[in-house]
Each structure stands twice: as C-alpha cells, then as structure tokens.
Amino acid sequence: MRFVELIRKKRDGHPLEDSELQALIEAYTEGDLPDYQMAAFLMAVYYKSMEATELAVWTEAMLHSGQVLDLSDIDGAKVDKHSTGGVGDKVSLILAPLAAAAGLKVPMISGRGLGHTGGTLDKLESIPGFDVNQSVQRFIELVDTLGLGLIGQTGEIAPADKKLYALRDVTATVECIPLIASSIMSKKLAEGIDSLVLDVKVGSGAFMKNVDRARKLAQTMIDIGASMDRPVRALITDMDQPLGRAVGNSLEVIESLETLRGEGPEDLTEITLELVVEMLDVAGKADDRDEAKAHLRSLLDDGSAMEAFTRIIEAQGGDPGVCTDPSLLPSADYTVEFEALRDGVIQSIDAQEVGIAAMELGAGRRTKEDTIDHGVGLVFQKKRGDEVSSGEPILVIHYSDRQSLDLAKKRLRAAIVIGDQPLKAPPLILDRLQ
Ligand code: URA
C-alpha cells in the first residue's frame, strides 16, 4: 500500500476505507510505517477529522494492535471508569473498591501523572509495597476473586496507542478529539470490559477547557463504544478547582481513606457516588438511582468499601496497615501554612496552576523520566466560595526543600483569587450523556 496516497486522501478531506485505516495502524505498530508519514497523517486528521465509521475502525485496529484481555470466564458485570484527568482527582482509589463492594467487577488499568495532572498509579505506589505491575493472569485472578485489580498499562495492551501518543506529543496533535477518543477507548476496551463510565473533566485543570468540547469528546467516545456494542456513559464534571482538599500522592491516599470511611469531602464523595451509580446503571443493576446511591453510601459507612480496599492492597503486596494508620504512608519533611493576604471570599482556585505548584514541590513529573516525592503536596482548608480573613490559612503546604517551596508559593499566590463578591459554589456535575 502506498501510504503517501492515504495521507493525501485524508489531507484532501476524503474518508478512508476500513482496510486503509487498518493497514496504517498495523504498519505503524510493526515499524513498517515511518514516524514522519504517520505524523503527516495525524496532522491531516487534526485538520480534517474522521467520520464516525472511520473512527470506529481506527479505534478497533488500535485495540487489536496488542493483547485484548478475555474476562469472559469471570461472572458478573465487568465495568471500569476512566477520567480524562485533573488535579486532586483520586476518585479511582475510592470508586474501584466501592464498586467491587457493590458487586461489580472492576478491571482497572491506570496511568501515571504527567505535568499538572496526577496519576492513579503514583498514588497507589505511595502505599508501601503496593505493586502495580501484576501479570495479566494474576490481574484476571484478582478481578475474579476480589472484584477489582489495580494495575498499570502493560506493553502488550494497545501498543499502537503507546507509539501514537508519543508521536502526537511531539507533533502538536494531542489536542484532537478523534485522536483523544480513540486513544482512550482503545486502551479501555482492551481491558475486556462489558461497559464503561467516563468522567470527562472540564475547566482550568482539565484537558477540555469548555463544556462544549467536553461534551463532544464524551459523545465521540460513547459512539465508539456503541460501534463495538459496549455501552458507555459519561458525566461532565467540574475541574475549575482541585477535587477534594488534597493534591499530592500520599495526601490523596489519606483523603481517599477518609472518603472510604464515609468521612471525605462532599465534592469528592458526591462525584464518586454518582460515577458508581452510573457503573451500576450501565450494567443494568440500578433500577432506582436514588436507592442505588443510598446503598453505596451504606457501603462506605459500614466499612464494606474499606474492606475491599484493604484486601486489594494486601493482595498486591502493599501494607494494609495504612488503612487504619495513615502515618505508615510517606510524608514530607516540613509543613507550612499558606495564608490569605486579605479578607474576602475565594473567587477562584486555578486547578492547573495548583497542579503545577504540586509538581514544583515534587509531587508530579515535568517529564516522563522524573521521579516523584510521594510525601509532598497541598491540603486545602478553604475552597471556592469560602470566606477568609487576612492571615487565615487557605491551605497547608507539605514540602521537602525550600527552593521548591518558594516556587510553589509564587504559583499559589497567582492561582488563588480573593474578592469581595459572595459566590455560590457552581455545580459539580455539569451534564450526563449516554
Ligand atoms: N489520555 C489518553 O489516554 N489519550 C489521549 O490522547 C489524551 C489523554
């Protein structure tokens, strides 16, 4: 096949045949199509997009570029959740055990944090001993016996996406809805799930900066799921300020443990419950959504969700003692309060800047090769809409070196705006699509 013809076809806005799309993915995965040609093709997609039928074929080819897990021997509904990423987003740590306690099977394959966003794997790895590198066989066993498994992307799952994502990263083709949608859906559907719930974040700390683009991304992923008979639901949720109070790995595990005990912050608890209700609903196990939500709350209050988390920590080599004694988690050397400089009401907390401040402290990675400090981060005492007095702490900074503290403080000073207007907290869940 002459790939230059396919690039030209896409460049000129014509849809490609199924066999042409499959050939592109196969050749690129095998190393038979050079980066420069795929880069040109991706740029053509960036400008000319893909039709729904093309995108379904493209995604399916990516999904089959590597191993597709077969969970058909596991009884029960296999459902996962994917978040498009944000700041302070520790939902997966609570949601997976809660959904398992509610009877779902959750094969969760997560990623690491990069830039201002955190990653579930980094959070889990702050639990001493927790091993996110389980074999596929062991992962399937965990999902079967404990109702959940929490692992990292393996080289065998959707290798086409791994190569394409790296290429997009250096060719300015990441911000393209069909390419984002196919990237996410190829990895998620390779988990062997029956259905999927998406948390598409929108706002300053999210990939999608406005609701219309977030809706478009969500709908594109729902359509891809439908083309493969995998029902997908999506919530569009606010990421204009950090979710919950903690940002930083150990600190987010501590907040997740509080939430698993039913004592977490309202926004984090609410989003988690709503997402698990969606998971139950998409699996046909929530006739009455209010009842389902009340039941999930009871699983937090009676310790069932915490028990599921304790068991998976133990099964994956971690120290389950952290569940009752969070002091076993790594911690920063120092803490300092970050105070308000004036009286007023917090008008905004720029989530992206907060994420970068946490990264400056060492909680995140500037490049994929960076190592992270699991103990450092931020814990907010005030959020958007809260009143503050001059000198009152807005948050506590957990840090290990003074230079990074100074950088983080500068970011935070610019990120948090205090004004005089009273402010009603905007809604957390902006839309629901199916
Ligand atoms: N997350 C992914 O997995 N892929 C993208 O393209 C963007 C975000």
Side-chain angles (χ1 to χ4, degrees), residues 79-80 92 96-97 100 104-110 120-121 124 130-132 134 138-152 191 308 312 315-316:
V79 192
D80 195 7
S92 291
L104 296 175
K105 305 285 182 180
V106 189
M108 190 173 270
I109 302 183
S110 306
T120 299
L121 296 184
L124 288 169
F130 196 99
D131 187 359
V132 298
Q134 306 290 322
R138 173 74 178 140
F139 176 62
I140 293 175
E141 215 174 276
L142 290 170
V143 174
D144 191 15
T145 54
L146 299 183
L148 75 165
L150 304 169
I151 64 166
E191 289 175 353
I312 194 65
Q316 294 196 212

PDB file of all heavy atoms in Angstrom, residues 79-80 92 96-97 100 104-110 120-121 124 130-132 134 138-152 191 308 312 315-316:
ATOM      1  N   VAL A  79     -17.030  -3.674  34.616  1.00  0.00           N
ATOM      2  CA  VAL A  79     -17.216  -2.255  34.296  1.00  0.00           C
ATOM      3  C   VAL A  79     -16.029  -1.460  34.819  1.00  0.00           C
ATOM      4  O   VAL A  79     -15.581  -1.687  35.944  1.00  0.00           O
ATOM      5  CB  VAL A  79     -18.497  -1.683  34.972  1.00  0.00           C
ATOM      6  CG1 VAL A  79     -18.847  -0.319  34.397  1.00  0.00           C
ATOM      7  CG2 VAL A  79     -19.666  -2.621  34.847  1.00  0.00           C
ATOM      8  N   ASP A  80     -15.553  -0.525  34.030  1.00  0.00           N
ATOM      9  CA  ASP A  80     -14.490   0.344  34.512  1.00  0.00           C
ATOM     10  C   ASP A  80     -14.929   1.798  34.379  1.00  0.00           C
ATOM     11  O   ASP A  80     -15.954   2.109  33.757  1.00  0.00           O
ATOM     12  CB  ASP A  80     -13.201   0.091  33.707  1.00  0.00           C
ATOM     13  CG  ASP A  80     -11.966   0.694  34.370  1.00  0.00           C
ATOM     14  OD1 ASP A  80     -12.069   1.201  35.511  1.00  0.00           O
ATOM     15  OD2 ASP A  80     -10.890   0.678  33.734  1.00  0.00           O
ATOM     16  N   SER A  92     -10.566   7.194  41.573  1.00  0.00           N
ATOM     17  CA  SER A  92     -10.404   5.752  41.293  1.00  0.00           C
ATOM     18  C   SER A  92     -10.107   4.944  42.551  1.00  0.00           C
ATOM     19  O   SER A  92     -10.529   3.795  42.675  1.00  0.00           O
ATOM     20  CB  SER A  92      -9.263   5.533  40.298  1.00  0.00           C
ATOM     21  OG  SER A  92      -9.638   6.025  39.048  1.00  0.00           O
ATOM     22  N   ALA A  96     -13.129   2.178  42.822  1.00  0.00           N
ATOM     23  CA  ALA A  96     -12.913   0.767  42.469  1.00  0.00           C
ATOM     24  C   ALA A  96     -13.326  -0.157  43.624  1.00  0.00           C
ATOM     25  O   ALA A  96     -14.107  -1.093  43.414  1.00  0.00           O
ATOM     26  CB  ALA A  96     -11.470   0.536  42.035  1.00  0.00           C
ATOM     27  N   PRO A  97     -12.839   0.083  44.872  1.00  0.00           N
ATOM     28  CA  PRO A  97     -13.296  -0.800  45.958  1.00  0.00           C
ATOM     29  C   PRO A  97     -14.784  -0.665  46.267  1.00  0.00           C
ATOM     30  O   PRO A  97     -15.441  -1.652  46.608  1.00  0.00           O
ATOM     31  CB  PRO A  97     -12.444  -0.372  47.162  1.00  0.00           C
ATOM     32  CG  PRO A  97     -11.757   0.888  46.800  1.00  0.00           C
ATOM     33  CD  PRO A  97     -11.752   0.987  45.312  1.00  0.00           C
ATOM     34  N   ALA A 100     -16.609  -2.618  43.679  1.00  0.00           N
ATOM     35  CA  ALA A 100     -16.425  -4.058  43.942  1.00  0.00           C
ATOM     36  C   ALA A 100     -17.308  -4.485  45.120  1.00  0.00           C
ATOM     37  O   ALA A 100     -17.939  -5.548  45.066  1.00  0.00           O
ATOM     38  CB  ALA A 100     -14.950  -4.348  44.238  1.00  0.00           C
ATOM     39  N   LEU A 104     -19.802  -5.258  41.504  1.00  0.00           N
ATOM     40  CA  LEU A 104     -19.271  -5.177  40.133  1.00  0.00           C
ATOM     41  C   LEU A 104     -17.859  -5.736  40.095  1.00  0.00           C
ATOM     42  O   LEU A 104     -17.201  -5.863  41.128  1.00  0.00           O
ATOM     43  CB  LEU A 104     -19.250  -3.705  39.672  1.00  0.00           C
ATOM     44  CG  LEU A 104     -20.613  -3.027  39.551  1.00  0.00           C
ATOM     45  CD1 LEU A 104     -20.432  -1.541  39.202  1.00  0.00           C
ATOM     46  CD2 LEU A 104     -21.483  -3.699  38.486  1.00  0.00           C
ATOM     47  N   LYS A 105     -17.400  -6.050  38.885  1.00  0.00           N
ATOM     48  CA  LYS A 105     -16.015  -6.476  38.687  1.00  0.00           C
ATOM     49  C   LYS A 105     -15.303  -5.316  37.987  1.00  0.00           C
ATOM     50  O   LYS A 105     -15.756  -4.868  36.921  1.00  0.00           O
ATOM     51  CB  LYS A 105     -15.937  -7.721  37.804  1.00  0.00           C
ATOM     52  CG  LYS A 105     -16.776  -8.877  38.315  1.00  0.00           C
ATOM     53  CD  LYS A 105     -16.121  -9.540  39.505  1.00  0.00           C
ATOM     54  CE  LYS A 105     -16.975 -10.716  39.959  1.00  0.00           C
ATOM     55  NZ  LYS A 105     -16.463 -11.426  41.087  1.00  0.00           N
ATOM     56  N   VAL A 106     -14.233  -4.861  38.600  1.00  0.00           N
ATOM     57  CA  VAL A 106     -13.572  -3.641  38.101  1.00  0.00           C
ATOM     58  C   VAL A 106     -12.114  -3.922  37.705  1.00  0.00           C
ATOM     59  O   VAL A 106     -11.224  -3.908  38.547  1.00  0.00           O
ATOM     60  CB  VAL A 106     -13.620  -2.521  39.175  1.00  0.00           C
ATOM     61  CG1 VAL A 106     -13.139  -1.196  38.583  1.00  0.00           C
ATOM     62  CG2 VAL A 106     -15.001  -2.390  39.777  1.00  0.00           C
ATOM     63  N   PRO A 107     -11.894  -4.183  36.408  1.00  0.00           N
ATOM     64  CA  PRO A 107     -10.515  -4.387  35.944  1.00  0.00           C
ATOM     65  C   PRO A 107      -9.909  -3.032  35.573  1.00  0.00           C
ATOM     66  O   PRO A 107     -10.061  -2.570  34.465  1.00  0.00           O
ATOM     67  CB  PRO A 107     -10.703  -5.251  34.697  1.00  0.00           C
ATOM     68  CG  PRO A 107     -12.076  -4.920  34.197  1.00  0.00           C
ATOM     69  CD  PRO A 107     -12.874  -4.323  35.309  1.00  0.00           C
ATOM     70  N   MET A 108      -9.213  -2.423  36.531  1.00  0.00           N
ATOM     71  CA  MET A 108      -8.781  -1.035  36.309  1.00  0.00           C
ATOM     72  C   MET A 108      -7.305  -0.959  35.920  1.00  0.00           C
ATOM     73  O   MET A 108      -6.437  -1.321  36.692  1.00  0.00           O
ATOM     74  CB  MET A 108      -9.058  -0.204  37.560  1.00  0.00           C
ATOM     75  CG  MET A 108      -8.864   1.280  37.322  1.00  0.00           C
ATOM     76  SD  MET A 108      -9.381   2.250  38.737  1.00  0.00           S
ATOM     77  CE  MET A 108     -11.108   2.575  38.378  1.00  0.00           C
ATOM     78  N   ILE A 109      -7.081  -0.481  34.692  1.00  0.00           N
ATOM     79  CA  ILE A 109      -5.705  -0.276  34.220  1.00  0.00           C
ATOM     80  C   ILE A 109      -5.504   1.230  34.101  1.00  0.00           C
ATOM     81  O   ILE A 109      -6.199   1.894  33.340  1.00  0.00           O
ATOM     82  CB  ILE A 109      -5.465  -0.979  32.868  1.00  0.00           C
ATOM     83  CG1 ILE A 109      -5.759  -2.480  32.998  1.00  0.00           C
ATOM     84  CG2 ILE A 109      -4.031  -0.758  32.401  1.00  0.00           C
ATOM     85  CD1 ILE A 109      -5.503  -3.300  31.751  1.00  0.00           C
ATOM     86  N   SER A 110      -4.569   1.739  34.906  1.00  0.00           N
ATOM     87  CA  SER A 110      -4.449   3.196  35.018  1.00  0.00           C
ATOM     88  C   SER A 110      -3.099   3.680  34.523  1.00  0.00           C
ATOM     89  O   SER A 110      -2.190   2.897  34.258  1.00  0.00           O
ATOM     90  CB  SER A 110      -4.602   3.621  36.483  1.00  0.00           C
ATOM     91  OG  SER A 110      -5.794   3.128  37.013  1.00  0.00           O
ATOM     92  N   THR A 120      -3.228   7.741  38.908  1.00  0.00           N
ATOM     93  CA  THR A 120      -3.631   6.761  39.920  1.00  0.00           C
ATOM     94  C   THR A 120      -2.459   5.863  40.348  1.00  0.00           C
ATOM     95  O   THR A 120      -2.326   5.541  41.535  1.00  0.00           O
ATOM     96  CB  THR A 120      -4.797   5.914  39.355  1.00  0.00           C
ATOM     97  OG1 THR A 120      -5.873   6.804  39.081  1.00  0.00           O
ATOM     98  CG2 THR A 120      -5.252   4.844  40.327  1.00  0.00           C
ATOM     99  N   LEU A 121      -1.609   5.493  39.382  1.00  0.00           N
ATOM    100  CA  LEU A 121      -0.512   4.568  39.741  1.00  0.00           C
ATOM    101  C   LEU A 121       0.426   5.202  40.763  1.00  0.00           C
ATOM    102  O   LEU A 121       0.888   4.537  41.697  1.00  0.00           O
ATOM    103  CB  LEU A 121       0.296   4.181  38.507  1.00  0.00           C
ATOM    104  CG  LEU A 121      -0.424   3.401  37.422  1.00  0.00           C
ATOM    105  CD1 LEU A 121       0.558   3.016  36.338  1.00  0.00           C
ATOM    106  CD2 LEU A 121      -1.119   2.166  37.970  1.00  0.00           C
ATOM    107  N   LEU A 124      -1.198   5.091  44.146  1.00  0.00           N
ATOM    108  CA  LEU A 124      -1.165   3.734  44.723  1.00  0.00           C
ATOM    109  C   LEU A 124       0.235   3.371  45.196  1.00  0.00           C
ATOM    110  O   LEU A 124       0.410   2.716  46.228  1.00  0.00           O
ATOM    111  CB  LEU A 124      -1.631   2.710  43.689  1.00  0.00           C
ATOM    112  CG  LEU A 124      -3.124   2.727  43.359  1.00  0.00           C
ATOM    113  CD1 LEU A 124      -3.404   1.854  42.145  1.00  0.00           C
ATOM    114  CD2 LEU A 124      -3.954   2.267  44.551  1.00  0.00           C
ATOM    115  N   PHE A 130       3.040  -1.563  47.540  1.00  0.00           N
ATOM    116  CA  PHE A 130       1.971  -1.791  46.542  1.00  0.00           C
ATOM    117  C   PHE A 130       2.586  -1.945  45.156  1.00  0.00           C
ATOM    118  O   PHE A 130       3.317  -1.090  44.686  1.00  0.00           O
ATOM    119  CB  PHE A 130       0.962  -0.638  46.539  1.00  0.00           C
ATOM    120  CG  PHE A 130      -0.319  -0.990  45.836  1.00  0.00           C
ATOM    121  CD1 PHE A 130      -1.433  -1.368  46.558  1.00  0.00           C
ATOM    122  CD2 PHE A 130      -0.417  -0.977  44.442  1.00  0.00           C
ATOM    123  CE1 PHE A 130      -2.625  -1.709  45.907  1.00  0.00           C
ATOM    124  CE2 PHE A 130      -1.588  -1.325  43.786  1.00  0.00           C
ATOM    125  CZ  PHE A 130      -2.698  -1.690  44.534  1.00  0.00           C
ATOM    126  N   ASP A 131       2.261  -3.070  44.497  1.00  0.00           N
ATOM    127  CA  ASP A 131       2.877  -3.386  43.214  1.00  0.00           C
ATOM    128  C   ASP A 131       1.831  -3.289  42.096  1.00  0.00           C
ATOM    129  O   ASP A 131       0.919  -4.116  42.013  1.00  0.00           O
ATOM    130  CB  ASP A 131       3.468  -4.804  43.279  1.00  0.00           C
ATOM    131  CG  ASP A 131       4.273  -5.133  42.031  1.00  0.00           C
ATOM    132  OD1 ASP A 131       4.353  -4.271  41.136  1.00  0.00           O
ATOM    133  OD2 ASP A 131       4.814  -6.250  41.964  1.00  0.00           O
ATOM    134  N   VAL A 132       1.994  -2.296  41.240  1.00  0.00           N
ATOM    135  CA  VAL A 132       1.027  -2.096  40.147  1.00  0.00           C
ATOM    136  C   VAL A 132       1.388  -2.939  38.923  1.00  0.00           C
ATOM    137  O   VAL A 132       0.675  -2.920  37.927  1.00  0.00           O
ATOM    138  CB  VAL A 132       0.937  -0.601  39.741  1.00  0.00           C
ATOM    139  CG1 VAL A 132       0.447   0.245  40.898  1.00  0.00           C
ATOM    140  CG2 VAL A 132       2.254  -0.073  39.195  1.00  0.00           C
ATOM    141  N   GLN A 134       1.368  -6.280  38.033  1.00  0.00           N
ATOM    142  CA  GLN A 134       0.934  -7.674  38.157  1.00  0.00           C
ATOM    143  C   GLN A 134       0.869  -8.294  36.758  1.00  0.00           C
ATOM    144  O   GLN A 134       0.620  -7.587  35.780  1.00  0.00           O
ATOM    145  CB  GLN A 134      -0.456  -7.750  38.795  1.00  0.00           C
ATOM    146  CG  GLN A 134      -0.576  -7.021  40.134  1.00  0.00           C
ATOM    147  CD  GLN A 134       0.184  -7.705  41.244  1.00  0.00           C
ATOM    148  OE1 GLN A 134       0.226  -8.931  41.326  1.00  0.00           O
ATOM    149  NE2 GLN A 134       0.803  -6.920  42.127  1.00  0.00           N
ATOM    150  N   ARG A 138      -2.513 -12.858  36.849  1.00  0.00           N
ATOM    151  CA  ARG A 138      -2.773 -12.508  38.253  1.00  0.00           C
ATOM    152  C   ARG A 138      -3.852 -11.413  38.339  1.00  0.00           C
ATOM    153  O   ARG A 138      -4.713 -11.428  39.206  1.00  0.00           O
ATOM    154  CB  ARG A 138      -1.457 -12.037  38.888  1.00  0.00           C
ATOM    155  CG  ARG A 138      -1.577 -11.488  40.291  1.00  0.00           C
ATOM    156  CD  ARG A 138      -1.791 -12.587  41.322  1.00  0.00           C
ATOM    157  NE  ARG A 138      -1.851 -12.040  42.666  1.00  0.00           N
ATOM    158  CZ  ARG A 138      -2.686 -12.447  43.602  1.00  0.00           C
ATOM    159  NH1 ARG A 138      -3.529 -13.438  43.381  1.00  0.00           N
ATOM    160  NH2 ARG A 138      -2.683 -11.891  44.784  1.00  0.00           N
ATOM    161  N   PHE A 139      -3.779 -10.468  37.400  1.00  0.00           N
ATOM    162  CA  PHE A 139      -4.756  -9.380  37.359  1.00  0.00           C
ATOM    163  C   PHE A 139      -6.168  -9.955  37.180  1.00  0.00           C
ATOM    164  O   PHE A 139      -7.106  -9.599  37.907  1.00  0.00           O
ATOM    165  CB  PHE A 139      -4.379  -8.438  36.203  1.00  0.00           C
ATOM    166  CG  PHE A 139      -5.343  -7.306  35.953  1.00  0.00           C
ATOM    167  CD1 PHE A 139      -5.588  -6.342  36.929  1.00  0.00           C
ATOM    168  CD2 PHE A 139      -5.987  -7.173  34.725  1.00  0.00           C
ATOM    169  CE1 PHE A 139      -6.459  -5.277  36.684  1.00  0.00           C
ATOM    170  CE2 PHE A 139      -6.859  -6.121  34.477  1.00  0.00           C
ATOM    171  CZ  PHE A 139      -7.087  -5.173  35.453  1.00  0.00           C
ATOM    172  N   ILE A 140      -6.292 -10.886  36.243  1.00  0.00           N
ATOM    173  CA  ILE A 140      -7.601 -11.503  35.982  1.00  0.00           C
ATOM    174  C   ILE A 140      -8.083 -12.246  37.239  1.00  0.00           C
ATOM    175  O   ILE A 140      -9.259 -12.180  37.620  1.00  0.00           O
ATOM    176  CB  ILE A 140      -7.524 -12.432  34.747  1.00  0.00           C
ATOM    177  CG1 ILE A 140      -7.282 -11.579  33.485  1.00  0.00           C
ATOM    178  CG2 ILE A 140      -8.782 -13.280  34.594  1.00  0.00           C
ATOM    179  CD1 ILE A 140      -7.065 -12.360  32.199  1.00  0.00           C
ATOM    180  N   GLU A 141      -7.151 -12.917  37.884  1.00  0.00           N
ATOM    181  CA  GLU A 141      -7.469 -13.649  39.125  1.00  0.00           C
ATOM    182  C   GLU A 141      -7.974 -12.697  40.225  1.00  0.00           C
ATOM    183  O   GLU A 141      -8.945 -12.988  40.920  1.00  0.00           O
ATOM    184  CB  GLU A 141      -6.155 -14.275  39.608  1.00  0.00           C
ATOM    185  CG  GLU A 141      -6.228 -15.614  40.268  1.00  0.00           C
ATOM    186  CD  GLU A 141      -4.791 -16.066  40.509  1.00  0.00           C
ATOM    187  OE1 GLU A 141      -4.205 -16.620  39.567  1.00  0.00           O
ATOM    188  OE2 GLU A 141      -4.254 -15.807  41.607  1.00  0.00           O
ATOM    189  N   LEU A 142      -7.313 -11.532  40.324  1.00  0.00           N
ATOM    190  CA  LEU A 142      -7.713 -10.555  41.350  1.00  0.00           C
ATOM    191  C   LEU A 142      -9.120 -10.024  41.068  1.00  0.00           C
ATOM    192  O   LEU A 142      -9.952  -9.905  41.974  1.00  0.00           O
ATOM    193  CB  LEU A 142      -6.724  -9.379  41.389  1.00  0.00           C
ATOM    194  CG  LEU A 142      -5.328  -9.677  41.922  1.00  0.00           C
ATOM    195  CD1 LEU A 142      -4.383  -8.494  41.685  1.00  0.00           C
ATOM    196  CD2 LEU A 142      -5.376 -10.017  43.406  1.00  0.00           C
ATOM    197  N   VAL A 143      -9.369  -9.727  39.783  1.00  0.00           N
ATOM    198  CA  VAL A 143     -10.694  -9.207  39.424  1.00  0.00           C
ATOM    199  C   VAL A 143     -11.757 -10.262  39.740  1.00  0.00           C
ATOM    200  O   VAL A 143     -12.830  -9.964  40.274  1.00  0.00           O
ATOM    201  CB  VAL A 143     -10.731  -8.804  37.928  1.00  0.00           C
ATOM    202  CG1 VAL A 143     -12.142  -8.394  37.507  1.00  0.00           C
ATOM    203  CG2 VAL A 143      -9.742  -7.670  37.653  1.00  0.00           C
ATOM    204  N   ASP A 144     -11.422 -11.512  39.458  1.00  0.00           N
ATOM    205  CA  ASP A 144     -12.370 -12.603  39.677  1.00  0.00           C
ATOM    206  C   ASP A 144     -12.646 -12.810  41.177  1.00  0.00           C
ATOM    207  O   ASP A 144     -13.802 -12.889  41.599  1.00  0.00           O
ATOM    208  CB  ASP A 144     -11.784 -13.889  39.060  1.00  0.00           C
ATOM    209  CG  ASP A 144     -12.802 -15.001  38.999  1.00  0.00           C
ATOM    210  OD1 ASP A 144     -14.003 -14.705  39.161  1.00  0.00           O
ATOM    211  OD2 ASP A 144     -12.406 -16.160  38.773  1.00  0.00           O
ATOM    212  N   THR A 145     -11.581 -12.856  41.965  1.00  0.00           N
ATOM    213  CA  THR A 145     -11.763 -13.232  43.371  1.00  0.00           C
ATOM    214  C   THR A 145     -12.084 -12.050  44.279  1.00  0.00           C
ATOM    215  O   THR A 145     -12.862 -12.186  45.219  1.00  0.00           O
ATOM    216  CB  THR A 145     -10.509 -13.944  43.918  1.00  0.00           C
ATOM    217  OG1 THR A 145      -9.375 -13.086  43.679  1.00  0.00           O
ATOM    218  CG2 THR A 145     -10.275 -15.275  43.230  1.00  0.00           C
ATOM    219  N   LEU A 146     -11.477 -10.884  44.008  1.00  0.00           N
ATOM    220  CA  LEU A 146     -11.682  -9.738  44.906  1.00  0.00           C
ATOM    221  C   LEU A 146     -12.590  -8.664  44.306  1.00  0.00           C
ATOM    222  O   LEU A 146     -12.949  -7.702  44.981  1.00  0.00           O
ATOM    223  CB  LEU A 146     -10.334  -9.106  45.286  1.00  0.00           C
ATOM    224  CG  LEU A 146      -9.344 -10.006  46.018  1.00  0.00           C
ATOM    225  CD1 LEU A 146      -8.087  -9.225  46.391  1.00  0.00           C
ATOM    226  CD2 LEU A 146      -9.971 -10.598  47.286  1.00  0.00           C
ATOM    227  N   GLY A 147     -12.913  -8.832  43.020  1.00  0.00           N
ATOM    228  CA  GLY A 147     -13.809  -7.855  42.386  1.00  0.00           C
ATOM    229  C   GLY A 147     -13.075  -6.664  41.794  1.00  0.00           C
ATOM    230  O   GLY A 147     -13.696  -5.807  41.175  1.00  0.00           O
ATOM    231  N   LEU A 148     -11.772  -6.580  41.996  1.00  0.00           N
ATOM    232  CA  LEU A 148     -11.021  -5.477  41.394  1.00  0.00           C
ATOM    233  C   LEU A 148      -9.549  -5.822  41.294  1.00  0.00           C
ATOM    234  O   LEU A 148      -9.043  -6.670  42.037  1.00  0.00           O
ATOM    235  CB  LEU A 148     -11.185  -4.163  42.181  1.00  0.00           C
ATOM    236  CG  LEU A 148     -10.449  -3.987  43.527  1.00  0.00           C
ATOM    237  CD1 LEU A 148     -10.443  -2.534  43.933  1.00  0.00           C
ATOM    238  CD2 LEU A 148     -11.057  -4.846  44.609  1.00  0.00           C
ATOM    239  N   GLY A 149      -8.900  -5.171  40.342  1.00  0.00           N
ATOM    240  CA  GLY A 149      -7.451  -5.247  40.199  1.00  0.00           C
ATOM    241  C   GLY A 149      -7.008  -3.854  39.788  1.00  0.00           C
ATOM    242  O   GLY A 149      -7.724  -3.161  39.052  1.00  0.00           O
ATOM    243  N   LEU A 150      -5.846  -3.430  40.285  1.00  0.00           N
ATOM    244  CA  LEU A 150      -5.391  -2.058  40.022  1.00  0.00           C
ATOM    245  C   LEU A 150      -3.971  -2.123  39.472  1.00  0.00           C
ATOM    246  O   LEU A 150      -3.024  -2.265  40.248  1.00  0.00           O
ATOM    247  CB  LEU A 150      -5.415  -1.229  41.320  1.00  0.00           C
ATOM    248  CG  LEU A 150      -6.747  -1.166  42.061  1.00  0.00           C
ATOM    249  CD1 LEU A 150      -6.572  -0.556  43.454  1.00  0.00           C
ATOM    250  CD2 LEU A 150      -7.768  -0.349  41.285  1.00  0.00           C
ATOM    251  N   ILE A 151      -3.860  -2.058  38.149  1.00  0.00           N
ATOM    252  CA  ILE A 151      -2.516  -2.212  37.572  1.00  0.00           C
ATOM    253  C   ILE A 151      -2.213  -1.090  36.577  1.00  0.00           C
ATOM    254  O   ILE A 151      -3.082  -0.305  36.220  1.00  0.00           O
ATOM    255  CB  ILE A 151      -2.332  -3.583  36.867  1.00  0.00           C
ATOM    256  CG1 ILE A 151      -3.266  -3.725  35.667  1.00  0.00           C
ATOM    257  CG2 ILE A 151      -2.508  -4.718  37.858  1.00  0.00           C
ATOM    258  CD1 ILE A 151      -2.899  -4.894  34.750  1.00  0.00           C
ATOM    259  N   GLY A 152      -0.955  -1.088  36.134  1.00  0.00           N
ATOM    260  CA  GLY A 152      -0.524  -0.103  35.142  1.00  0.00           C
ATOM    261  C   GLY A 152      -0.613  -0.695  33.749  1.00  0.00           C
ATOM    262  O   GLY A 152      -0.722  -1.913  33.576  1.00  0.00           O
ATOM    263  N   GLU A 191      -9.240  -3.850  27.954  1.00  0.00           N
ATOM    264  CA  GLU A 191      -9.343  -4.463  29.290  1.00  0.00           C
ATOM    265  C   GLU A 191     -10.361  -5.598  29.322  1.00  0.00           C
ATOM    266  O   GLU A 191     -10.483  -6.284  30.331  1.00  0.00           O
ATOM    267  CB  GLU A 191      -9.813  -3.417  30.319  1.00  0.00           C
ATOM    268  CG  GLU A 191      -8.813  -2.352  30.662  1.00  0.00           C
ATOM    269  CD  GLU A 191      -9.420  -1.292  31.583  1.00  0.00           C
ATOM    270  OE1 GLU A 191     -10.656  -1.327  31.838  1.00  0.00           O
ATOM    271  OE2 GLU A 191      -8.677  -0.431  32.044  1.00  0.00           O
ATOM    272  N   ALA A 308     -12.821  -3.868  51.008  1.00  0.00           N
ATOM    273  CA  ALA A 308     -12.401  -4.227  49.640  1.00  0.00           C
ATOM    274  C   ALA A 308     -11.053  -3.581  49.318  1.00  0.00           C
ATOM    275  O   ALA A 308     -10.197  -4.192  48.668  1.00  0.00           O
ATOM    276  CB  ALA A 308     -13.467  -3.785  48.634  1.00  0.00           C
ATOM    277  N   ILE A 312      -7.409  -5.567  48.549  1.00  0.00           N
ATOM    278  CA  ILE A 312      -6.647  -5.442  47.296  1.00  0.00           C
ATOM    279  C   ILE A 312      -5.235  -4.923  47.591  1.00  0.00           C
ATOM    280  O   ILE A 312      -4.268  -5.313  46.934  1.00  0.00           O
ATOM    281  CB  ILE A 312      -7.379  -4.584  46.222  1.00  0.00           C
ATOM    282  CG1 ILE A 312      -6.737  -4.776  44.852  1.00  0.00           C
ATOM    283  CG2 ILE A 312      -7.406  -3.118  46.536  1.00  0.00           C
ATOM    284  CD1 ILE A 312      -6.863  -6.149  44.281  1.00  0.00           C
ATOM    285  N   ALA A 315      -3.381  -7.967  48.644  1.00  0.00           N
ATOM    286  CA  ALA A 315      -3.177  -8.911  47.523  1.00  0.00           C
ATOM    287  C   ALA A 315      -2.132  -8.404  46.540  1.00  0.00           C
ATOM    288  O   ALA A 315      -1.504  -9.187  45.847  1.00  0.00           O
ATOM    289  CB  ALA A 315      -4.503  -9.150  46.806  1.00  0.00           C
ATOM    290  N   GLN A 316      -1.967  -7.095  46.458  1.00  0.00           N
ATOM    291  CA  GLN A 316      -0.974  -6.545  45.518  1.00  0.00           C
ATOM    292  C   GLN A 316       0.320  -6.148  46.242  1.00  0.00           C
ATOM    293  O   GLN A 316       1.104  -5.350  45.729  1.00  0.00           O
ATOM    294  CB  GLN A 316      -1.578  -5.385  44.710  1.00  0.00           C
ATOM    295  CG  GLN A 316      -2.687  -5.884  43.785  1.00  0.00           C
ATOM    296  CD  GLN A 316      -3.094  -4.897  42.681  1.00  0.00           C
ATOM    297  OE1 GLN A 316      -4.241  -4.871  42.283  1.00  0.00           O
ATOM    298  NE2 GLN A 316      -2.162  -4.099  42.158  1.00  0.00           N
TER     299      GLN A 316
END
